[in-house]
Amino acid sequence: EPSRALVRAAATLLGGRRHLEAVPPVDGQQRVAWPSPLRDNLPGVLASARGPVVVLASGDPLVSGIGTTLLDVLGPERVTIVPGVSSVALARARLGWPAESVTTVSLVGRDLRLIVPALSAGRRLLVLSSDETTPAAVAAVLTGLGWGQSRLVVLGDLGAAGESCTATTAAGWDLNDVPRLNVLAVEARGAGPGWASGGVLPDDAFEHGGQITKRDLRASALARLAPAPGQLLWDIGAGSGSIGVEWMRAWPTARTIAVEPRSDRAALVHRNAAALGVPGLCLVEGSAPGALSGLDRPDAVFVGGGATVPGVLDTCWDALGAGGRLVVHGVTAETEAVLLKQHSRRGGELVRLHVERAEPLGGFTGWTPARAVSQWSIVKGDS
């Protein structure tokens, strides 16, 4: 009843057309449907609306809903949220899935491969769909990546009198009549690329042609780069993009700008980012330090190539704020000389990493050493 009173007292009612049509007429009340594109036009709509303004939304407006956008546009002091039962809560109730056993992934207006970092065997996902085409498209992505045995449940029109619940598998997808309003439940089964927090990926998860920071060295670099929510990495001399991809997979809100001068390698970065679930990775095709001009300020920088180019390390250092992390790898004597000089000048940690792998040697097994890598790492502000 308090919510109904708010709706009746509103001078302006905003919402989707189906929501507005569901509310009985109120004398003198202005009713405005969402503009398109919504985010760009919303400030103008709100500025011209008579107050008080009430926005209609189904479920919890802060679960991938309009509430988040309104808070961003107006600020929390001008927005009051009155939540209902979200589609996520309804889906969990229908399935009997406790909240702590479920990860929610929103694919509303987003790239389908954003589901990839959330996948691991036995994991439960609730996928917020854009429309009736999303479940079939997700099934195809899962099947193509080796998760075809995953169990899928399409929950349609949750909370309505005609709600539906239909189960299948990703590889056996055979549903033709999917409701436009749906939530897709996934029980992951398979062994494709998946859970970001499970550790660094094996090298063969990347398309690389030899241009890759290999797994053991990648783990060492990422431990020092310390990915964190919302933070930005510059991945300079990106090669196949492995460091930048792993950085973004560590947290859904982490960002990467990869800088790569060669167009063939830049194409590898694009393909790896898409295939491994971080399609939002930003690629700058060009050479440092010139290509770094005008980029957003980083929280961490990895230099996998080009450390001997004059100005690269100084530009990276100057771009970092207090607490920023810089990690540089080198395999040549010339690069090592640069890192020795930087370590002497600025401090930090300088290590040489040797990795040996067991391989057949005649009828026995011997150790085959890889090329040693010098690694200089430092946190700005440390001495």
Side-chain angles (χ1 to χ4, degrees), residues 116-119 123 194-200 246 248-251:
V116 177
L119 293 168
R123 203 171 192 203
W195 193 24
S197 299
V200 295
E246 297 269 25
M248 290 185 69
R249 283 170 53 86
W251 295 99

Side-chain angles (χ1 to χ4, degrees), residues 223-241:
R224 291 161 172 83
L225 289 167
Q231 293 200 345
L232 172 65
L233 172 75
W234 285 359
D235 182 7
I236 298 171
S240 62

Side-chain angles (χ1 to χ4, degrees), residues 35-134:
S36 180
L38 189 149
R39 183 62 176 80
D40 292 341
N41 293 322
L42 186 57
V45 170
L46 293 170
S48 61
R50 301 195 312 268
V53 177
V54 169
V55 172
L56 297 178
S58 56
D60 185 342
L62 294 178
V63 178
S64 291
I66 189 62
T68 305
T69 303
L70 290 170
L71 289 169
D72 183 44
V73 172
L74 297 174
E77 68 281 354
R78 298 179 61 192
V79 179
T80 299
I81 304 289
V82 182
V85 178
S86 70
S87 58
V88 171
L90 289 170
R92 286 192 287 100
R94 301 298 185 265
L95 296 165
W97 288 2
E100 60 271 18
S101 72
V102 180
T103 298
T104 301
V105 179
S106 176
L107 297 183
V108 179
R110 300 177 182 178
D111 193 298
L112 295 175
R113 289 186 180 264
L114 288 171
I115 195 176
V116 177
L119 293 168
S120 66
R123 203 171 192 203
R124 292 170 168 175
L125 309 178
L126 286 178
V127 178
L128 305 183
S129 297
S130 279
D131 54 34
E132 69 275 17
T133 67
T134 303

